[in-house]
Amino acid sequence: MRRRAALLMALALGSCSPAPAPVPVPVPAPVPPAPQRIVSLNPCTDAILAEVAERGQIAALSAYSSQVGQSSMNVALARSLPATAGTLEEVAVLRPDLVLAGAMTAPAERAAYARLGLRREEFASPTTIAASLEQVRRIAALAGHPERGAALVARIEAAVVRATVPPGTRRVDTLVWQSGGMVPGGNTLVSELMNRTGFDNFSARAGLGQAQILPLEPVLAHPPQAILIAGNLAAGENRLLAHPALGRLPATRRFAFDPVLEWCGGPTIIRAADRLAQIRQAL
Amino acid sequence: MNRLNLSLLSALALAFPLSLLAGRVWIDPFHPVLPNAALILAELRLPRACLAVIIGAGLGVAGAVMQGFLRNPLADPGLFGIAPSAALGAVLSLWLGALGHPLGGWALPTFALVGAGGAMALLGLIAGRGGSVALFTLAGMMIASLSGALMSLAISLAPSPFALSEIVTWLMGALVDRGWDDVLIAAPLTALGLAALWMTRPALDALALGELAARSLGVNPRVLTGWIIAGVGLTVGASVAAAGIIGFVGLMVPHFVRPFTDRLPSSLLLPSALAGALLLLVADAVCRLVPLASGELRLGIALSLIGAPFFCALLLRLRRELA
Amino acid sequence: MSAGLTAEGLTVIGRCHDVSTALAAGQLIAICGPNGAGKSSLLAALAGLIAADSGTARLDGAPLASLAARERARTIGYLPQSGEVAWNLEVEALVALGRLPWGGSRRDPAVAGAIAAMELESLRHRPVGTLSGGERARTLLARVLAGAPRWILADEPLASLDLGHAAEVMRLLAAQAAVGRGVVVVVHDLAMAMNHADRVLVLDSGTVVADGPPDVALAEDVLARVWQVEAQWLGAPGARALGLISAATPPAR
C-alpha cells in the first residue's frame, strides 16, 4: 500500500513538470489580407468607406463626393483623395482589389467587370435602418476593419435612439417632397426614420410605393400637417409646390430638408435623424 | 468614286489604331507603363472598335439602301420600324429581369433579334406581296409607332425607378463596356445583312426611273422587297441587340458621301459602309474622351455633335445649288 | 402564230375591254384617244407590266406572262409617262441604266450608240437636273435605246415638250422604226400621229374603234365621233395640221 502510494506520488510529481511536452495544435486558416486598393463608385459607399477603412486603403472615391451639393461625406476629405468618374477603363487602371458599387448597373458593365477579373461588390440603396447597418458591417468586414464598422454602427444607433420619440407621442402627418413631385413611399429609409422620430409618412398612407410622383388630390383631400421640402426651391424644381391649391392649406407648415440626407444610409442617418428630431421639436 | 472608297478606307485604317489609344486614360504604345493597359486594350477597346466598325457599316449601308428604295433622301432605317421593335424586345428582357426573372446575359440580344424578326415578318406579310413603296412605308410607320407605344408602356410599368433608369439608359444607345460576346452576335448577322443588301444594287439603280420603268427593266418588286427586309432587319437588328438605338448614321452618312459619287444608289453602298464605320469609330472615341463626372458621353450625343457641323455645311451647299 | 406584239381579247377592268390587235415591227404605231380611253393601260399590258384580267398579250406568239423578266426586259423597252428621275444623275449614267437587263455596264458600246442616236454627245456629263425639257426627253429615250430592245413602247413621250422638241422626238422614233424596231407610242397630239405614224389605233372608252393608216383611222368623221369635235385636216400629207371648225364645247361624256 505504501509502495503504491509512493508510486502514485512519483507519478503525480512526475506529471507536474514545469515545461509541458509540446502538443500539435491545428493551425487556424490563414486570414486573407485586407484589400489595399479599394475603389468606391458611389457617394453612399464613399461615406461609409471613409469611416471604416484606413486612408491608405482607399484608391479612389466617386467624383460626386468632392462636390458640395452631391456629397454625403466631408468634402474636404473627399477632395484629398483621388476621384474617379467610374468608367471601367479608369477603374481598371487603378488596379483595385475591391470595387464598391451601387446596384444600379447596366448588364454590360457587370459582364465587363467579370471579364476583366475585377472583384466587385454591390450595395443596393438600403430601405431600412437595419439594412443600412448591415451594409456598414459588410463594408467594414470587406475592408478588414470589423471593429471600426461596429463603432460606426454604435454611433448611428445612438443617434437614432436620441431622435426617437417616446411611445405614445403624437405623430405628425408629414409629406416629404422631393424635386419634381417625387415622394418616398413606405418602403424607404427616410420613412422608417420618420416613423421613429414621431412623423407619419403621408405618402405611405396614400399607398405609394418606393418613389413615385404624388398626385395633388390626396394632398388636398387630407392635408398633411407638415411638408418637408427636399429640393432646390429656387431652381424651379418644385413647381407643384407653388400650385395655388396648396396655398390654401394654411394649417400645413413647411420645412427645408437637405435632399442629401435622403440619398444614403450609413453616416448620413446620424445627420438625418438629428434634423428630423429638430423639426419634430418645432411642431 | 473608287478614289472615294480608297480615301475612306485609308482614313478608317488610320483611325482604327488611333482610336484604340484614345480614352480618358491615354495609352501610349511606346511606353506601356499603365497598369492593366493590355487588358483594357484587349477586353474593352478592341471589341468596342470592332463593334463600331461593324455597326457603323451596317447602318450606313441600310440607310443608303433605304434611301435608294424609297427614292427619298430623308429615308432612314428606323422608318421600317425594325429598330423600335428590336428595342422593344430588349426592353422586355430588361423588364422581366427587373421583375425578378433574371434571364442571363444572352437574353437581351436574343429578345432584340426576336423583336427585329417579328417586325420583318410583319412587314413581309403586309407589304411583301404588292411591294408598293407607299404600302411599305405605311406598314413600317405603323410597326414603329406600335413598338414605340409598347415600349412606353413597359417603361411606365417599370417595377422600380432602377429598372426605369436601366431601360431608358440602354435605349439611348452606347458601346460602353461591350465585349467580344457582343461582337460575336453583331458580326455574323451584320455580314449576312450586308450580303442581302448588296443584292439589291441593280434594282435600286433601276428604281431611279420609277417603279414602272424599273419593272420594265426586269426588277422583281417582291424579290427586292424580300432582300431589303432581310438586309435591313439583320443589320439594324444586330446593331440594336449590341448597342441600343443608334440614330443619325443611316440618315446622314449617305448624304455625306453622295456628292462624291455619281449618285447612282448602287455606288453609295460601299462608301456608306466605310463612312458609317469611320463616323461611329470616331464618335465612340469621343465618348470615351469627354470628361463627364457621371461616366461617358452617350453615343447618340457624340454622333450628333460630330455630324451636325458637316450636315450644316451640306445644307448650305444644297441651298446654293437649289437657289 | 404571228411575229410581233399581239393582244388577244385583252381586258383590264375599268380601263380597256376586249382589245385584239396585231402589231408588227418596223412600224411606228400610234395609240390615240380621248382622256380615260385606256391607252396607257393597253400599252402597259402590251409591255407586260400589268396583268390583264382576261385575254393574253403575246410576243412572237408566246404569252408575255410566260417570259422570264430578264428576257422580256431585253426585248421590250418601256418609256413611262412620268419621266421622273430620282437622283441628279449624269446623262451617261442615266442612259447606261438601260443596260441593266444585259448586266449593266457604262462602257458598253450600246450606251455610246444610244447617246449618239439621240444627239446627246455634248451633254454626256451634264446632270439631268440641268437639262432642258427636250434634252431630258431625249435622254430618257436614249435610256430605252441603250437596251437595244426590239420593241419600244412609249407612253406620251411628247407631253410637256414644245413643238420643235416634240417634232424632233417623233422624228427619232420614226427613225428607230425605220431600222426595224417596233415602236408603239401613245400620243395626244393628233397631228403628230397623222404626220409620223405608219398606223394608228384609236381607243374610245376602252375599245378599239379605228385601226389603220393615219388618214383612215384619224379621218374627220372619226374625230367627230370619238373626240366630239368638228375639225378639218389642213396642209399637205406629211405636214398636216388640224383645224378646229366649231368652237362649241363638246357635250359632257
PDB file of all heavy atoms in Angstrom, chain A residues 64 85 87-90 92-93 95 104 107-109 112 115-116, chain B residues 24 35-36 39-40 43-45 162 166 177-179 288 292-294:
ATOM      1  N   TYR A  64     -18.493  62.356 -57.309  1.00  0.00           N
ATOM      2  CA  TYR A  64     -19.580  63.095 -56.668  1.00  0.00           C
ATOM      3  C   TYR A  64     -19.210  63.561 -55.274  1.00  0.00           C
ATOM      4  O   TYR A  64     -19.668  64.597 -54.812  1.00  0.00           O
ATOM      5  CB  TYR A  64     -20.830  62.214 -56.553  1.00  0.00           C
ATOM      6  CG  TYR A  64     -21.485  61.926 -57.865  1.00  0.00           C
ATOM      7  CD1 TYR A  64     -21.504  60.631 -58.365  1.00  0.00           C
ATOM      8  CD2 TYR A  64     -22.086  62.930 -58.603  1.00  0.00           C
ATOM      9  CE1 TYR A  64     -22.101  60.361 -59.572  1.00  0.00           C
ATOM     10  CE2 TYR A  64     -22.695  62.654 -59.808  1.00  0.00           C
ATOM     11  CZ  TYR A  64     -22.698  61.372 -60.283  1.00  0.00           C
ATOM     12  OH  TYR A  64     -23.289  61.097 -61.468  1.00  0.00           O
ATOM     13  N   ALA A  85     -14.432  58.973 -62.219  1.00  0.00           N
ATOM     14  CA  ALA A  85     -15.782  59.119 -62.772  1.00  0.00           C
ATOM     15  C   ALA A  85     -16.476  57.777 -62.898  1.00  0.00           C
ATOM     16  O   ALA A  85     -17.653  57.710 -63.160  1.00  0.00           O
ATOM     17  CB  ALA A  85     -15.725  59.792 -64.143  1.00  0.00           C
ATOM     18  N   THR A  87     -15.813  55.140 -65.024  1.00  0.00           N
ATOM     19  CA  THR A  87     -15.778  54.316 -66.229  1.00  0.00           C
ATOM     20  C   THR A  87     -14.836  53.154 -65.989  1.00  0.00           C
ATOM     21  O   THR A  87     -13.876  53.251 -65.244  1.00  0.00           O
ATOM     22  CB  THR A  87     -15.287  55.098 -67.451  1.00  0.00           C
ATOM     23  OG1 THR A  87     -13.931  55.466 -67.232  1.00  0.00           O
ATOM     24  CG2 THR A  87     -16.136  56.306 -67.684  1.00  0.00           C
ATOM     25  N   LEU A  88     -15.136  52.063 -66.654  1.00  0.00           N
ATOM     26  CA  LEU A  88     -14.390  50.835 -66.383  1.00  0.00           C
ATOM     27  C   LEU A  88     -12.906  51.000 -66.669  1.00  0.00           C
ATOM     28  O   LEU A  88     -12.060  50.456 -65.971  1.00  0.00           O
ATOM     29  CB  LEU A  88     -14.976  49.696 -67.222  1.00  0.00           C
ATOM     30  CG  LEU A  88     -14.380  48.322 -66.969  1.00  0.00           C
ATOM     31  CD1 LEU A  88     -14.315  48.018 -65.488  1.00  0.00           C
ATOM     32  CD2 LEU A  88     -15.225  47.281 -67.669  1.00  0.00           C
ATOM     33  N   GLU A  89     -12.604  51.783 -67.703  1.00  0.00           N
ATOM     34  CA  GLU A  89     -11.183  51.945 -68.031  1.00  0.00           C
ATOM     35  C   GLU A  89     -10.436  52.620 -66.896  1.00  0.00           C
ATOM     36  O   GLU A  89      -9.346  52.188 -66.503  1.00  0.00           O
ATOM     37  CB  GLU A  89     -11.053  52.784 -69.296  1.00  0.00           C
ATOM     38  CG  GLU A  89     -11.501  52.042 -70.521  1.00  0.00           C
ATOM     39  CD  GLU A  89     -11.228  52.835 -71.770  1.00  0.00           C
ATOM     40  OE1 GLU A  89     -10.682  53.948 -71.659  1.00  0.00           O
ATOM     41  OE2 GLU A  89     -11.554  52.339 -72.849  1.00  0.00           O
ATOM     42  N   GLU A  90     -11.052  53.680 -66.368  1.00  0.00           N
ATOM     43  CA  GLU A  90     -10.382  54.381 -65.268  1.00  0.00           C
ATOM     44  C   GLU A  90     -10.223  53.464 -64.081  1.00  0.00           C
ATOM     45  O   GLU A  90      -9.203  53.478 -63.397  1.00  0.00           O
ATOM     46  CB  GLU A  90     -11.203  55.605 -64.854  1.00  0.00           C
ATOM     47  CG  GLU A  90     -11.187  56.717 -65.868  1.00  0.00           C
ATOM     48  CD  GLU A  90     -12.153  57.804 -65.474  1.00  0.00           C
ATOM     49  OE1 GLU A  90     -13.331  57.710 -65.840  1.00  0.00           O
ATOM     50  OE2 GLU A  90     -11.734  58.729 -64.777  1.00  0.00           O
ATOM     51  N   ALA A  92     -10.023  50.215 -64.094  1.00  0.00           N
ATOM     52  CA  ALA A  92      -9.039  49.166 -64.377  1.00  0.00           C
ATOM     53  C   ALA A  92      -7.617  49.675 -64.158  1.00  0.00           C
ATOM     54  O   ALA A  92      -6.755  48.960 -63.647  1.00  0.00           O
ATOM     55  CB  ALA A  92      -9.218  48.663 -65.807  1.00  0.00           C
ATOM     56  N   VAL A  93      -7.382  50.913 -64.564  1.00  0.00           N
ATOM     57  CA  VAL A  93      -6.040  51.474 -64.411  1.00  0.00           C
ATOM     58  C   VAL A  93      -5.652  51.580 -62.940  1.00  0.00           C
ATOM     59  O   VAL A  93      -4.470  51.501 -62.591  1.00  0.00           O
ATOM     60  CB  VAL A  93      -5.982  52.858 -65.094  1.00  0.00           C
ATOM     61  CG1 VAL A  93      -4.737  53.599 -64.708  1.00  0.00           C
ATOM     62  CG2 VAL A  93      -6.044  52.683 -66.589  1.00  0.00           C
ATOM     63  N   ARG A  95      -6.088  49.493 -60.724  1.00  0.00           N
ATOM     64  CA  ARG A  95      -5.751  48.154 -60.220  1.00  0.00           C
ATOM     65  C   ARG A  95      -6.367  47.880 -58.844  1.00  0.00           C
ATOM     66  O   ARG A  95      -5.672  47.534 -57.905  1.00  0.00           O
ATOM     67  CB  ARG A  95      -4.236  47.980 -60.102  1.00  0.00           C
ATOM     68  CG  ARG A  95      -3.517  47.634 -61.381  1.00  0.00           C
ATOM     69  CD  ARG A  95      -2.013  47.524 -61.148  1.00  0.00           C
ATOM     70  NE  ARG A  95      -1.449  48.726 -60.557  1.00  0.00           N
ATOM     71  CZ  ARG A  95      -0.932  48.815 -59.329  1.00  0.00           C
ATOM     72  NH1 ARG A  95      -0.927  47.760 -58.537  1.00  0.00           N
ATOM     73  NH2 ARG A  95      -0.453  49.953 -58.883  1.00  0.00           N
ATOM     74  N   MET A 104     -27.375  49.787 -59.214  1.00  0.00           N
ATOM     75  CA  MET A 104     -27.956  50.227 -60.486  1.00  0.00           C
ATOM     76  C   MET A 104     -26.888  50.164 -61.558  1.00  0.00           C
ATOM     77  O   MET A 104     -26.200  51.137 -61.832  1.00  0.00           O
ATOM     78  CB  MET A 104     -28.446  51.669 -60.323  1.00  0.00           C
ATOM     79  CG  MET A 104     -29.788  51.902 -60.937  1.00  0.00           C
ATOM     80  SD  MET A 104     -30.690  53.312 -60.306  1.00  0.00           S
ATOM     81  CE  MET A 104     -29.621  54.655 -60.575  1.00  0.00           C
ATOM     82  N   PRO A 107     -26.244  45.704 -67.416  1.00  0.00           N
ATOM     83  CA  PRO A 107     -25.765  44.320 -67.518  1.00  0.00           C
ATOM     84  C   PRO A 107     -24.422  44.221 -68.231  1.00  0.00           C
ATOM     85  O   PRO A 107     -23.583  43.394 -67.867  1.00  0.00           O
ATOM     86  CB  PRO A 107     -26.862  43.609 -68.332  1.00  0.00           C
ATOM     87  CG  PRO A 107     -27.960  44.553 -68.481  1.00  0.00           C
ATOM     88  CD  PRO A 107     -27.581  45.897 -67.975  1.00  0.00           C
ATOM     89  N   ALA A 108     -24.217  45.104 -69.220  1.00  0.00           N
ATOM     90  CA  ALA A 108     -22.947  45.036 -69.943  1.00  0.00           C
ATOM     91  C   ALA A 108     -21.786  45.369 -69.019  1.00  0.00           C
ATOM     92  O   ALA A 108     -20.696  44.788 -69.121  1.00  0.00           O
ATOM     93  CB  ALA A 108     -22.972  46.003 -71.115  1.00  0.00           C
ATOM     94  N   GLU A 109     -22.035  46.301 -68.079  1.00  0.00           N
ATOM     95  CA  GLU A 109     -20.954  46.690 -67.186  1.00  0.00           C
ATOM     96  C   GLU A 109     -20.583  45.548 -66.258  1.00  0.00           C
ATOM     97  O   GLU A 109     -19.404  45.252 -66.051  1.00  0.00           O
ATOM     98  CB  GLU A 109     -21.408  47.913 -66.384  1.00  0.00           C
ATOM     99  CG  GLU A 109     -20.271  48.710 -65.831  1.00  0.00           C
ATOM    100  CD  GLU A 109     -20.762  49.963 -65.113  1.00  0.00           C
ATOM    101  OE1 GLU A 109     -21.815  50.503 -65.521  1.00  0.00           O
ATOM    102  OE2 GLU A 109     -20.104  50.371 -64.161  1.00  0.00           O
ATOM    103  N   ALA A 112     -18.582  43.102 -68.060  1.00  0.00           N
ATOM    104  CA  ALA A 112     -17.228  43.579 -68.350  1.00  0.00           C
ATOM    105  C   ALA A 112     -16.330  43.441 -67.128  1.00  0.00           C
ATOM    106  O   ALA A 112     -15.158  43.074 -67.247  1.00  0.00           O
ATOM    107  CB  ALA A 112     -17.286  45.026 -68.821  1.00  0.00           C
ATOM    108  N   ARG A 115     -15.273  39.964 -66.941  1.00  0.00           N
ATOM    109  CA  ARG A 115     -14.262  39.651 -67.963  1.00  0.00           C
ATOM    110  C   ARG A 115     -12.886  40.096 -67.543  1.00  0.00           C
ATOM    111  O   ARG A 115     -11.891  39.441 -67.814  1.00  0.00           O
ATOM    112  CB  ARG A 115     -14.614  40.389 -69.255  1.00  0.00           C
ATOM    113  CG  ARG A 115     -15.474  39.623 -70.180  1.00  0.00           C
ATOM    114  CD  ARG A 115     -15.361  40.104 -71.602  1.00  0.00           C
ATOM    115  NE  ARG A 115     -15.217  41.508 -71.801  1.00  0.00           N
ATOM    116  CZ  ARG A 115     -16.219  42.374 -71.899  1.00  0.00           C
ATOM    117  NH1 ARG A 115     -17.448  41.949 -71.760  1.00  0.00           N
ATOM    118  NH2 ARG A 115     -15.993  43.648 -72.100  1.00  0.00           N
ATOM    119  N   LEU A 116     -12.828  41.275 -66.922  1.00  0.00           N
ATOM    120  CA  LEU A 116     -11.522  41.804 -66.542  1.00  0.00           C
ATOM    121  C   LEU A 116     -11.025  41.198 -65.236  1.00  0.00           C
ATOM    122  O   LEU A 116      -9.919  41.502 -64.804  1.00  0.00           O
ATOM    123  CB  LEU A 116     -11.596  43.329 -66.391  1.00  0.00           C
ATOM    124  CG  LEU A 116     -11.786  44.113 -67.681  1.00  0.00           C
ATOM    125  CD1 LEU A 116     -11.751  45.588 -67.384  1.00  0.00           C
ATOM    126  CD2 LEU A 116     -10.705  43.772 -68.669  1.00  0.00           C
TER     127      LEU A 116
ATOM    128  N   ARG B  24     -10.098  58.319 -71.597  1.00  0.00           N
ATOM    129  CA  ARG B  24      -9.703  59.185 -70.505  1.00  0.00           C
ATOM    130  C   ARG B  24      -8.340  58.775 -69.962  1.00  0.00           C
ATOM    131  O   ARG B  24      -7.642  59.540 -69.323  1.00  0.00           O
ATOM    132  CB  ARG B  24     -10.750  59.157 -69.413  1.00  0.00           C
ATOM    133  CG  ARG B  24     -11.114  60.558 -69.034  1.00  0.00           C
ATOM    134  CD  ARG B  24     -12.271  60.595 -68.123  1.00  0.00           C
ATOM    135  NE  ARG B  24     -13.502  60.247 -68.763  1.00  0.00           N
ATOM    136  CZ  ARG B  24     -14.678  60.463 -68.204  1.00  0.00           C
ATOM    137  NH1 ARG B  24     -14.727  61.015 -67.027  1.00  0.00           N
ATOM    138  NH2 ARG B  24     -15.778  60.116 -68.811  1.00  0.00           N
ATOM    139  N   PRO B  35      -0.829  50.371 -65.689  1.00  0.00           N
ATOM    140  CA  PRO B  35      -1.238  49.030 -65.273  1.00  0.00           C
ATOM    141  C   PRO B  35      -2.500  48.619 -66.021  1.00  0.00           C
ATOM    142  O   PRO B  35      -3.326  49.454 -66.346  1.00  0.00           O
ATOM    143  CB  PRO B  35      -1.539  49.202 -63.778  1.00  0.00           C
ATOM    144  CG  PRO B  35      -1.769  50.649 -63.595  1.00  0.00           C
ATOM    145  CD  PRO B  35      -0.969  51.365 -64.618  1.00  0.00           C
ATOM    146  N   ASN B  36      -2.594  47.378 -66.300  1.00  0.00           N
ATOM    147  CA  ASN B  36      -3.794  46.851 -66.952  1.00  0.00           C
ATOM    148  C   ASN B  36      -4.026  47.396 -68.355  1.00  0.00           C
ATOM    149  O   ASN B  36      -5.110  47.247 -68.892  1.00  0.00           O
ATOM    150  CB  ASN B  36      -5.060  47.142 -66.112  1.00  0.00           C
ATOM    151  CG  ASN B  36      -5.237  46.092 -65.043  1.00  0.00           C
ATOM    152  OD1 ASN B  36      -4.724  44.997 -65.160  1.00  0.00           O
ATOM    153  ND2 ASN B  36      -5.967  46.425 -63.998  1.00  0.00           N
ATOM    154  N   LEU B  39      -4.930  44.761 -70.809  1.00  0.00           N
ATOM    155  CA  LEU B  39      -6.275  44.250 -70.553  1.00  0.00           C
ATOM    156  C   LEU B  39      -7.329  45.217 -71.074  1.00  0.00           C
ATOM    157  O   LEU B  39      -8.311  44.816 -71.702  1.00  0.00           O
ATOM    158  CB  LEU B  39      -6.439  44.065 -69.041  1.00  0.00           C
ATOM    159  CG  LEU B  39      -7.554  43.134 -68.596  1.00  0.00           C
ATOM    160  CD1 LEU B  39      -7.368  41.770 -69.201  1.00  0.00           C
ATOM    161  CD2 LEU B  39      -7.586  43.063 -67.088  1.00  0.00           C
ATOM    162  N   ILE B  40      -7.103  46.494 -70.820  1.00  0.00           N
ATOM    163  CA  ILE B  40      -8.049  47.498 -71.292  1.00  0.00           C
ATOM    164  C   ILE B  40      -8.156  47.435 -72.808  1.00  0.00           C
ATOM    165  O   ILE B  40      -9.236  47.458 -73.389  1.00  0.00           O
ATOM    166  CB  ILE B  40      -7.610  48.917 -70.867  1.00  0.00           C
ATOM    167  CG1 ILE B  40      -7.714  49.065 -69.362  1.00  0.00           C
ATOM    168  CG2 ILE B  40      -8.457  49.964 -71.559  1.00  0.00           C
ATOM    169  CD1 ILE B  40      -7.269  50.407 -68.871  1.00  0.00           C
ATOM    170  N   GLU B  43      -9.740  43.761 -73.877  1.00  0.00           N
ATOM    171  CA  GLU B  43     -11.097  43.395 -73.471  1.00  0.00           C
ATOM    172  C   GLU B  43     -12.095  44.521 -73.575  1.00  0.00           C
ATOM    173  O   GLU B  43     -13.286  44.280 -73.568  1.00  0.00           O
ATOM    174  CB  GLU B  43     -11.082  42.887 -72.019  1.00  0.00           C
ATOM    175  CG  GLU B  43     -10.399  41.555 -71.858  1.00  0.00           C
ATOM    176  CD  GLU B  43     -11.177  40.437 -72.519  1.00  0.00           C
ATOM    177  OE1 GLU B  43     -12.398  40.568 -72.713  1.00  0.00           O
ATOM    178  OE2 GLU B  43     -10.552  39.424 -72.872  1.00  0.00           O
ATOM    179  N   LEU B  44     -11.614  45.757 -73.618  1.00  0.00           N
ATOM    180  CA  LEU B  44     -12.559  46.871 -73.675  1.00  0.00           C
ATOM    181  C   LEU B  44     -12.487  47.603 -74.995  1.00  0.00           C
ATOM    182  O   LEU B  44     -13.483  47.752 -75.688  1.00  0.00           O
ATOM    183  CB  LEU B  44     -12.283  47.844 -72.525  1.00  0.00           C
ATOM    184  CG  LEU B  44     -12.605  47.322 -71.125  1.00  0.00           C
ATOM    185  CD1 LEU B  44     -12.315  48.381 -70.097  1.00  0.00           C
ATOM    186  CD2 LEU B  44     -14.049  46.904 -71.027  1.00  0.00           C
ATOM    187  N   ARG B  45     -11.313  48.097 -75.349  1.00  0.00           N
ATOM    188  CA  ARG B  45     -11.280  48.987 -76.501  1.00  0.00           C
ATOM    189  C   ARG B  45     -11.341  48.260 -77.831  1.00  0.00           C
ATOM    190  O   ARG B  45     -11.977  48.725 -78.773  1.00  0.00           O
ATOM    191  CB  ARG B  45     -10.027  49.853 -76.455  1.00  0.00           C
ATOM    192  CG  ARG B  45     -10.141  50.848 -75.346  1.00  0.00           C
ATOM    193  CD  ARG B  45      -9.219  52.001 -75.497  1.00  0.00           C
ATOM    194  NE  ARG B  45      -9.270  52.830 -74.308  1.00  0.00           N
ATOM    195  CZ  ARG B  45      -8.317  53.673 -73.963  1.00  0.00           C
ATOM    196  NH1 ARG B  45      -7.238  53.777 -74.724  1.00  0.00           N
ATOM    197  NH2 ARG B  45      -8.436  54.394 -72.884  1.00  0.00           N
ATOM    198  N   PHE B 162     -35.193  51.994 -60.601  1.00  0.00           N
ATOM    199  CA  PHE B 162     -33.921  51.497 -61.104  1.00  0.00           C
ATOM    200  C   PHE B 162     -34.121  50.807 -62.439  1.00  0.00           C
ATOM    201  O   PHE B 162     -33.346  50.990 -63.369  1.00  0.00           O
ATOM    202  CB  PHE B 162     -33.288  50.533 -60.108  1.00  0.00           C
ATOM    203  CG  PHE B 162     -33.177  51.124 -58.735  1.00  0.00           C
ATOM    204  CD1 PHE B 162     -33.621  50.425 -57.627  1.00  0.00           C
ATOM    205  CD2 PHE B 162     -32.653  52.374 -58.562  1.00  0.00           C
ATOM    206  CE1 PHE B 162     -33.535  50.974 -56.366  1.00  0.00           C
ATOM    207  CE2 PHE B 162     -32.567  52.933 -57.300  1.00  0.00           C
ATOM    208  CZ  PHE B 162     -33.010  52.237 -56.200  1.00  0.00           C
ATOM    209  N   GLU B 166     -32.565  51.881 -65.925  1.00  0.00           N
ATOM    210  CA  GLU B 166     -31.786  50.918 -66.711  1.00  0.00           C
ATOM    211  C   GLU B 166     -32.305  50.868 -68.143  1.00  0.00           C
ATOM    212  O   GLU B 166     -31.542  50.875 -69.097  1.00  0.00           O
ATOM    213  CB  GLU B 166     -31.899  49.551 -66.047  1.00  0.00           C
ATOM    214  CG  GLU B 166     -30.947  48.516 -66.614  1.00  0.00           C
ATOM    215  CD  GLU B 166     -31.122  47.168 -65.918  1.00  0.00           C
ATOM    216  OE1 GLU B 166     -32.141  46.979 -65.239  1.00  0.00           O
ATOM    217  OE2 GLU B 166     -30.235  46.329 -66.073  1.00  0.00           O
ATOM    218  N   ASP B 177     -18.532  49.386 -72.410  1.00  0.00           N
ATOM    219  CA  ASP B 177     -18.458  48.091 -71.735  1.00  0.00           C
ATOM    220  C   ASP B 177     -18.860  46.902 -72.588  1.00  0.00           C
ATOM    221  O   ASP B 177     -19.077  45.814 -72.064  1.00  0.00           O
ATOM    222  CB  ASP B 177     -19.308  48.087 -70.452  1.00  0.00           C
ATOM    223  CG  ASP B 177     -18.752  49.044 -69.416  1.00  0.00           C
ATOM    224  OD1 ASP B 177     -17.543  49.311 -69.454  1.00  0.00           O
ATOM    225  OD2 ASP B 177     -19.535  49.536 -68.599  1.00  0.00           O
ATOM    226  N   ARG B 178     -18.976  47.086 -73.896  1.00  0.00           N
ATOM    227  CA  ARG B 178     -19.291  45.910 -74.725  1.00  0.00           C
ATOM    228  C   ARG B 178     -18.034  45.081 -74.892  1.00  0.00           C
ATOM    229  O   ARG B 178     -16.916  45.582 -74.878  1.00  0.00           O
ATOM    230  CB  ARG B 178     -19.796  46.333 -76.093  1.00  0.00           C
ATOM    231  CG  ARG B 178     -21.093  47.127 -76.144  1.00  0.00           C
ATOM    232  CD  ARG B 178     -22.077  46.694 -75.127  1.00  0.00           C
ATOM    233  NE  ARG B 178     -23.410  47.201 -75.349  1.00  0.00           N
ATOM    234  CZ  ARG B 178     -24.033  48.089 -74.572  1.00  0.00           C
ATOM    235  NH1 ARG B 178     -23.416  48.581 -73.546  1.00  0.00           N
ATOM    236  NH2 ARG B 178     -25.253  48.463 -74.842  1.00  0.00           N
ATOM    237  N   GLY B 179     -18.249  43.794 -75.095  1.00  0.00           N
ATOM    238  CA  GLY B 179     -17.094  42.908 -75.193  1.00  0.00           C
ATOM    239  C   GLY B 179     -17.182  41.997 -76.398  1.00  0.00           C
ATOM    240  O   GLY B 179     -18.005  42.189 -77.280  1.00  0.00           O
ATOM    241  N   ARG B 288     -15.449  58.348 -75.157  1.00  0.00           N
ATOM    242  CA  ARG B 288     -14.521  57.963 -74.095  1.00  0.00           C
ATOM    243  C   ARG B 288     -13.747  59.152 -73.590  1.00  0.00           C
ATOM    244  O   ARG B 288     -13.281  59.171 -72.454  1.00  0.00           O
ATOM    245  CB  ARG B 288     -13.528  56.928 -74.633  1.00  0.00           C
ATOM    246  CG  ARG B 288     -14.054  55.532 -74.677  1.00  0.00           C
ATOM    247  CD  ARG B 288     -12.916  54.553 -74.659  1.00  0.00           C
ATOM    248  NE  ARG B 288     -12.043  54.708 -75.802  1.00  0.00           N
ATOM    249  CZ  ARG B 288     -12.229  54.120 -76.978  1.00  0.00           C
ATOM    250  NH1 ARG B 288     -13.264  53.337 -77.141  1.00  0.00           N
ATOM    251  NH2 ARG B 288     -11.391  54.310 -77.963  1.00  0.00           N
ATOM    252  N   LEU B 292     -16.807  63.745 -68.337  1.00  0.00           N
ATOM    253  CA  LEU B 292     -18.021  63.970 -67.569  1.00  0.00           C
ATOM    254  C   LEU B 292     -17.873  63.304 -66.213  1.00  0.00           C
ATOM    255  O   LEU B 292     -17.255  62.261 -66.100  1.00  0.00           O
ATOM    256  CB  LEU B 292     -19.223  63.346 -68.284  1.00  0.00           C
ATOM    257  CG  LEU B 292     -19.719  64.013 -69.551  1.00  0.00           C
ATOM    258  CD1 LEU B 292     -20.937  63.269 -70.053  1.00  0.00           C
ATOM    259  CD2 LEU B 292     -20.084  65.456 -69.266  1.00  0.00           C
ATOM    260  N   ALA B 293     -18.512  63.903 -65.174  1.00  0.00           N
ATOM    261  CA  ALA B 293     -18.386  63.307 -63.845  1.00  0.00           C
ATOM    262  C   ALA B 293     -19.130  61.985 -63.756  1.00  0.00           C
ATOM    263  O   ALA B 293     -18.786  61.116 -62.968  1.00  0.00           O
ATOM    264  CB  ALA B 293     -18.926  64.267 -62.793  1.00  0.00           C
ATOM    265  N   SER B 294     -20.159  61.841 -64.592  1.00  0.00           N
ATOM    266  CA  SER B 294     -21.005  60.668 -64.401  1.00  0.00           C
ATOM    267  C   SER B 294     -20.650  59.528 -65.342  1.00  0.00           C
ATOM    268  O   SER B 294     -21.426  58.630 -65.529  1.00  0.00           O
ATOM    269  CB  SER B 294     -22.458  61.072 -64.656  1.00  0.00           C
ATOM    270  OG  SER B 294     -22.541  61.616 -65.956  1.00  0.00           O
TER     271      SER B 294
END
